[in-house]
Amino acid sequence: MRIGIGCDHGGYEMKEELKKRLTGGGHAVTDKGIYSVSEVDYPDVAAEVAE
């Protein structure tokens, strides 16, 4: 299954763990951000995931 994910700075560590589990289960994961704990507005990332 193809799955798109993203988060804001508060969920970064959880997203990274989820990404590992999903790819380990054979899913194709597209990560639309963020890629560090830098602060970001979640609606910007959510729009990218929804695309």
Side-chain angles (χ1 to χ4, degrees):
M1 177 184 290
R2 294 182 329 186
I3 302 171
I5 62 173
C7 68
D8 65 1
H9 53 281
Y12 174 74
E13 281 119 18
M14 183 180 292
K15 179 196 67 146
E16 292 299 306
E17 180 62 30
L18 178 61
K19 189 166 55 171
K20 286 180 199 172
R21 291 178 184 225
L22 290 170
T23 56
H27 301 286
V29 177
T30 301
D31 185 351
K32 292 294 188 171
I34 62 175
Y35 309 110
S36 70
V37 292
S38 299
E39 290 190 24
V40 65
D41 289 329
Y42 184 76
D44 297 334
V45 178
E48 288 289 320
V49 173
E51 292 275 326

